[in-house]
Amino acid sequence: MAVKYREIAEFLEKEITEGKFDETNKLPTEEELAKQFEVSRSTVRKAVTQLVNRGYIYQVQGSGMFLRKKSETDYINLGSLRGLTKDLPAKIIETKVLELHVMEADDELASRLQCETGAKLYYTKRLRIVNEEPFSIEISYFKKDIVPYLNEEIAVQSIYTYLIEDLKLSIGFADKVINCALMEEDTANLLQLKSGDPGLIIENTVSLTNGIIFELSKSIFHFQKAKILNRVSFK
Amino acid sequence: MAVKYREIAEFLEKEITEGKFDETNKLPTEEELAKQFEVSRSTVRKAVTQLVNRGYIYQVQGSGMFLRKKSETDYINLGSLRGLTKDLPAKIIETKVLELHVMEADDELASRLQCETGAKLYYTKRLRIVNEEPFSIEISYFKKDIVPYLNEEIAVQSIYTYLIEDLKLSIGFADKVINCALMEEDTANLLQLKSGDPGLIIENTVSLTNGIIFELSKSIFHFQKAKILNRVSFK
DNA sequence: AAGTGGTCTAGACCACCGT
DNA sequence: CGGTGGTCTAGACCACTTC
């Protein structure tokens, strides 16, 4: 942190989620915020833009900044990289690590991860349990030269928290592909569904700020329990 | 248009898609672009930010601006409001208008559209055909006070083009909820699937720039043919 | 050390909303 | 018309990458 506009965005985000502006449904003007935080109006605008992009507010020229309707709480948020734990704060989330070991990239993985065939990868398969019911299966591959160490203790918690806070990785961008497919029997069993039932699938290719891909993942969600939310702003 | 940063973004977007920077995989520096377009560096940065948000490029501090790997062409783009026609430019897209008439909002529609029960709405149900195969079913409700007129000729083409270019509506933001559900028989039939097969569903709540909701839609995609792409940047 | 993007400022002027 | 967001500028200084 230590960057003003991020701090302001974070501060306002917290105020918004705590309901501080719910009565008026409106934020103070940019001018007022600039005065309050003792920064220039440009800096306020940069902070505010983040809130707009995250779907908290919208701006109307000549009129002001307004709260967007709060979204329901039990959606998976496509725009965040925070993971289930942060997306579903109201729920009890458990994780069962089904597999975790180092392996070598085959041709297909190498191509998708843009690395050499045979490069070392961490492979992990996890079952996510929400409110004591199976919710999703997550299969991930991490490049070992970027994520040199991973163990079950970490994988049971949020891997992303570990990557960001401990390994100090800075995540840059991701491609997410969503589709729907019929499940194999073993996958279905893990989710307590029948073979042939569909799964909602998100495939994720994640890069660091410098553009290097470091993770590939595939999450298969219980089709009756998972909903994905994406808030879009045009501008 | 007439806004510099948008024009620059559009210009660069075109150059990128035409492959102008493919050799180096890199864009000119911000300074150079500022000189080229005769604007300040801030204006260049604003244009560039749009390209970043749209998933075309990424920036690396101290190093430069680089192209992101081109995405495959046959994805539905979640971040755009352009509609299928623009998302799948390589495909032949036909639209069959199954229903189109004015109706009154019931309690549920009124609540979701934030209008009065009984308010007039345009209802339309369309079948989208891609490369001569059924691809999706789209059910939409438009507030009639905002979209006063709609006919089959418009509904066969892109409704959004009509809303933006003819009605001069300015779209502000949208909530998109994605999930997966088993289809009813008549829906399945339209997509040439079996009753009980799954559908990939996007429910869309769209607001104007001033925050007023004007459209609700539900698109049910053929689960074997549709893939949704979302490119995310963190910053 | 040079090159390049990231943050921040102060201020001007425009465009739109609501009274 | 006053209030408020939108665009744009010119310039300073910082942080990171690359050599």
Side-chain angles (χ1 to χ4, degrees), chain A residues 3-6 38-43 46 61-62:
Chain A
V3 177
K4 290 185 189 177
Y5 79 88
R6 274 189 219 270
E38 297 180 292
V39 297
S40 69
R41 188 176 151 224
S42 324
T43 300
K46 204 161 177 194
Q61 182 170 13

Side-chain angles (χ1 to χ4, degrees), chain B residues 101-129:
Chain B
H101 53 77
V102 175
M103 57 172 289
E104 295 185 353
D106 62 20
D107 287 346
E108 199 212 321
L109 281 172
S111 147
R112 294 178 55 197
L113 277 162
Q114 288 175 34
C115 65
E116 313 247 301
T117 302
K120 302 277 189 221
L121 308 177
Y122 266 108
Y123 165 80
T124 166
K125 180 171 177 179
R126 301 184 291 166
L127 174 65
R128 297 299 201 124
I129 299 159

